[in-house]
Amino acid sequence: MHNENHAFVPADVPEKKRDIFIKNYHAITRNTNHLFLFSCDHKIEHLNNDFYGATINSQALHPEHLFRIASQGTIGAMATHLGLLARYAKQYPNVNYIAKLNGRTHLVSCEQQDPKSLLLWTVDDVISFKEENKLMINGIGITVYLGSEYESEHLFQAAQAITQAHKAGLVTIVWMYPRGKAICQENNPQLIAGAAGIALSLGADFVKIKMPDATNMVSSTQALKIASAAAGNTKIIYSGGEMINAQDLLSQLYENIHHADVAGIAAGRNIFQRSLAESIILTQAISAIIYDNVDLKVAIAHLNQL
């Protein structure tokens, strides 16, 4: 699977944009059907909480740290909001980018109001920015909150953005998160599998989901495999979540790649909360698993370079 060059081209990609879509897809998947997404939308989503603290390397406080990692490390693509790209991306033109279209802070809790995340930028904004600055923006990202009372608005804007992006030959990634007062258990395995199926129904190329919880019936990895099946030919990448031990992160990734049929990982805090040197080496180890299909021991050996 790792060596397969085939890129599935959705039917809503016009024939004249087919080659552009394939080029964008291969750029971020490195000629595989797998994806290592360096997820960096936290400035809006989590404010400064993820960039300063006792367990966070001091380099993470500076926004350019994200771009230095993306430029010097080994990733598939860096995903962040279009505004942040406008501030820094021209200084780092060698990076593959995914432009995030919407976002919300965590200041208003779900107990106070269900999450609502409308577009901050449009696909047209992304296309214009890409063309004017000659940057490698390979796709767009958008968040949908299932179960929110604003779910229908989220679904509508995601469907429209995906269709429009495909018409331009851009790859599409949906952050699909069950969240709101109607949701009792955000990581319920059946709910996560359902979320993956909705991303498929919206026409997304990749869907970013949270790791499902283990139950008495299935492990998290088994539940993730069920979600991968529910997603059909939409590829699943799972969220890396809060920073954990690097070796544990690699072990979990290897297990999920080989036993849960996922396409890869969307990791942010696990990377950028470390020093630049540590971050770069960790991206190399992650990419070795995702793109090069190396043995876990070989990937872990990357960590010994420090």
Side-chain angles (χ1 to χ4, degrees):
M1 185 175 183
H2 285 72
N3 297 320
E4 186 180 351
N5 286 326
H6 173 69
F8 176 82
V9 181
D12 57 351
V13 175
E15 187 63 32
K16 63 182 179 180
K17 297 292 185 179
R18 181 183 177 89
D19 289 345
I20 294 174
F21 179 88
I22 292 173
K23 182 180 179 181
N24 284 325
Y25 185 89
H26 282 327
I28 66 175
T29 64
R30 295 178 176 254
N31 295 312
T32 72
N33 280 312
H34 287 197
L35 176 60
F36 171 18
L37 189 68
F38 182 32
S39 187
C40 301
D41 58 346
H42 303 67
K43 283 285 182 183
I44 289 180
E45 300 292 336
H46 300 170
L47 302 182
N48 210 43
N49 295 16
D50 290 340
F51 300 95
Y52 183 81
T55 62
I56 301 172
N57 188 278
S58 60
Q59 291 177 318
L61 181 59
H62 305 281
E64 201 162 359
H65 181 59
L66 303 173
F67 290 85
R68 290 179 180 135
I69 295 169
S71 178
Q72 298 176 45
T74 306
I75 62 171
M78 173 182 172
T80 194
H81 291 102
L82 186 60
L84 198 60
L85 293 180
R87 305 301 299 185
Y88 290 99
K90 284 196 76 170
Q91 295 98 289
Y92 298 89
N94 64 321
V95 177
N96 294 321
Y97 293 110
I98 301 296
K100 191 82 183 293
L101 301 182
N102 64 337
R104 62 181 290 274
T105 75
H106 59 357
L107 293 176
V108 178
S109 69
C110 288
E111 289 76 21
Q112 183 178 346
Q113 180 184 316
D114 272 5
K116 184 176 185 178
S117 187
L118 301 184
L119 292 182
L120 302 173
W121 299 273
T122 67
V123 174
D124 282 341
D125 291 331
V126 174
I127 294 170
S128 296
F129 181 80
K130 170 185 170 73
E131 292 175 348
E132 289 171 5
N133 294 285
K134 310 301 181 187
L135 290 169
M136 296 188 296
I137 299 178
N138 307 101
I140 59 103
I142 189 167
T143 297
V144 171
Y145 291 114
L146 294 180
S148 167
E149 61 184 297
Y150 307 105
E151 174 189 271
S152 60
E153 294 174 67
H154 294 163
L155 292 172
F156 175 78
Q157 68 181 12
Q160 295 301 306
I162 289 167
T163 300
Q164 189 176 0
H166 279 166
K167 287 180 178 178
L170 296 173
V171 178
T172 60
I173 305 174
V174 175
W175 279 238
M176 189 65 73
Y177 294 154
R179 191 168 297 169
K181 293 189 285 291
I183 305 299
C184 299
Q185 186 186 0
E186 293 181 1
N187 293 9
N188 177 280
Q190 280 289 81
L191 191 53
I192 294 293
I198 289 178
L200 169 70
S201 299
L202 291 173
D205 302 298
F206 292 91
V207 56
K208 178 178 181 277
I209 60 173
K210 297 289 184 70
M211 275 289 292
D213 290 333
T215 70
N216 293 332
M217 301 294 292
V218 294
S219 67
S220 289
T221 299
Q222 290 169 329
L224 201 55
K225 186 171 185 176
I226 294 170
S228 296
N233 59 11
T234 291
K235 304 294 184 181
I236 279 184
I237 53 176
Y238 71 95
S239 173
E242 297 180 358
M243 185 170 65
I244 60 174
N245 176 272
Q247 187 167 321
D248 291 341
L249 177 72
L250 295 179
S251 297
Q252 182 189 74
L253 173 62
Y254 187 87
E255 174 76 8
N256 290 332
I257 287 282
H258 289 275
H259 300 290
D261 298 333
V262 301
I265 191 172
R269 286 169 286 181
N270 266 291
I271 298 170
F272 66 68
Q273 289 185 346
R274 307 173 196 269
S275 71
L276 179 60
E278 291 173 313
S279 297
I280 290 170
I281 287 174
L282 183 53
T283 66
Q284 293 169 348
I286 292 172
S287 289
I289 292 174
I290 292 177
Y291 294 128
D292 302 325
N293 198 23
V294 303
D295 183 79
L296 179 59
K297 291 182 180 179
V298 174
I300 290 175
H302 278 273
L303 303 178
N304 299 325
Q305 296 178 47
L306 284 173

